[in-house]
Amino acid sequence: MPSLYHPLVVHFPVALWMTSALFDLLYARSTDRFHFRASQFLIGLGLLGAAVSVVTGYADYLPLVREGIGAEFVARHKTHQVVALAATVVYAVSFYARWRQPHLHRTTLLLLTAVGALLIGATGLIGGDLRMVM
């Protein structure tokens, strides 16, 4: 089995995005603009990390397919990809909304935060399960 780089980098966007949720909650409670900007910065870094995760994911995945990995892994991986893409889209929308609308309504902000955190949490759970079927 070849060396896998994807598992080494996927934790960064997850950690950055989950930490951004903490700053969003702090912002909702205190209205300190520092928390808003810190969350935006973490989301942006998470988007960069997600791009690296996608590249390393495909770099790792293609040799595994050539080696004949199981159909169960491929099926679960497709589910993982869909959920990860949904999380990335939510965080990209959140980043764009913060950039274009610096005084984003707190309800909208918290809704994006909640949906993003749930999706990235589900992505992590599904990704962890993938290791069991490899």
Side-chain angles (χ1 to χ4, degrees):
M1 184 154 100
S3 295
L4 299 176
Y5 300 103
H6 183 67
L8 299 174
V9 298
V10 295
H11 300 93
F12 291 102
V14 173
L16 290 164
W17 288 340
M18 293 304 269
T19 305
S20 78
L22 171 66
F23 277 96
D24 282 341
L25 292 174
L26 290 171
Y27 173 68
R29 184 175 169 111
S30 72
T31 67
D32 186 345
R33 296 295 294 169
F34 168 79
H35 298 126
F36 181 86
R37 291 289 175 219
S39 181
Q40 184 178 19
F41 183 73
L42 291 168
I43 290 169
L45 287 175
L47 289 169
L48 292 174
V52 172
S53 295
V54 168
V55 170
T56 59
Y58 278 105
D60 289 351
Y61 181 72
L62 295 175
L64 292 175
V65 170
R66 283 193 292 270
E67 289 180 13
I69 59 171
E72 185 178 356
F73 174 81
V74 173
R76 286 192 188 188
H77 193 269
K78 286 180 182 177
T79 302
H80 174 70
Q81 285 176 306
V82 168
V83 178
L85 176 62
T88 303
V89 167
V90 168
Y91 281 105
V93 166
S94 180
F95 184 82
Y96 181 77
R98 293 162 195 262
W99 177 56
R100 296 294 292 167
Q101 196 70 283
H103 298 287
L104 192 63
H105 194 274
R106 279 194 204 113
T107 304
T108 304
L109 180 75
L110 290 175
L111 180 63
L112 286 169
T113 297
V115 172
L118 287 172
L119 285 170
I120 200 63
T123 300
L125 285 172
I126 296 167
D129 286 344
L130 283 174
R131 296 296 294 168
M132 291 183 201
V133 297
M134 283 186 71

